[in-house]
Amino acid sequence: MEVALFELTHSADTPLSAIAKKAGVGQGTFYRHFPNRESLVLEIYRHEMQQVSDYAAQLLETREPDQALREWMDRFAQFAMAKAGLAEAIRLATNPPGTIHKPGPTPLIAAAELLLRANEEAGTIRPGVTTDVFLLALSGLWQIDPRGDWQPQVTPLLDLVMDGLRAGAPGR
């Protein structure tokens, strides 16, 4: 999976045979697990998304809600920057050419909702922030070039989002 993520991030049309070879996996074994490019791309995306999503609950077990939310935003940004290079492969795998498709609910949405509600209950963010609005605020991440030094741009952006969430919080 790591080899496939690396290769497809750098070139969405990397041959599957080249990925199998670099991963040290026989082509027969590779194709039994991933019969086509779409199945590989979707599995990479699903796996990575699930890891980021699971991280939300883990953080809430060990951090205050606002710290958990901010750390999860950092992890989400890392996910977004890694997936930006894979975006074309994901788009091709999920939408046939000439179609438009809006993705359904994902584990990331559930994770964001979990963190927002924990913070609302703790009084660390303003009440009534919806997951849609929160994710819209994070959409600025997609304006950042993931091939460059993106971290100096991401940190102030996420700090700004967090400051906005805290403004008007009852516990402040």
Side-chain angles (χ1 to χ4, degrees):
M1 294 290 275
E2 289 178 24
V3 171
L5 175 61
F6 178 82
E7 293 299 324
L8 291 172
T9 297
H10 288 84
S11 177
D13 58 356
T14 300
L16 297 183
S17 58
I19 294 170
K21 184 176 182 178
K22 287 183 181 180
V25 177
Q27 286 191 18
T29 300
F30 185 86
Y31 283 105
R32 268 192 301 282
H33 287 87
F34 308 108
N36 55 44
R37 176 176 306 282
E38 292 78 18
S39 63
L40 175 62
V41 169
L42 292 175
E43 181 57 25
I44 291 168
Y45 182 69
R46 186 206 61 74
H47 177 74
E48 295 285 311
M49 185 174 29
Q50 191 63 54
Q51 285 187 322
V52 174
S53 299
D54 291 347
Y55 192 55
Q58 293 168 12
L59 286 169
L60 283 172
E61 291 175 6
T62 59
R63 310 276 195 287
E64 292 298 318
D66 58 335
Q67 293 170 328
L69 178 61
R70 184 60 182 83
E71 284 187 43
W72 184 82
M73 289 166 56
D74 284 333
R75 180 77 178 263
F76 180 82
Q78 291 168 354
F79 170 77
M81 293 299 103
K83 296 307 155 275
L86 196 56
E88 181 63 11
I90 292 169
R91 187 189 65 73
L92 291 172
T94 57
N95 301 314
T99 64
I100 297 174
H101 173 73
K102 183 178 179 190
T106 69
L108 289 175
I109 293 170
E113 181 68 19
L114 175 70
L115 289 162
L116 290 172
R117 297 302 64 91
N119 275 276
E120 192 170 335
E121 283 181 29
T124 54
I125 65 170
R126 66 177 58 215
V129 176
T130 66
T131 306
D132 287 344
V133 167
F134 173 66
L135 293 175
L136 185 59
L138 292 181
S139 69
L141 291 169
W142 280 266
Q143 302 303 312
I144 298 171
D145 183 358
R147 296 169 299 216
D149 187 16
W150 54 267
Q151 192 65 41
Q153 293 177 299
V154 166
T155 298
L157 173 66
L158 297 181
D159 287 345
L160 182 65
V161 171
M162 195 67 200
D163 289 347
L165 290 168
R166 287 180 175 137
R172 299 213 81 178

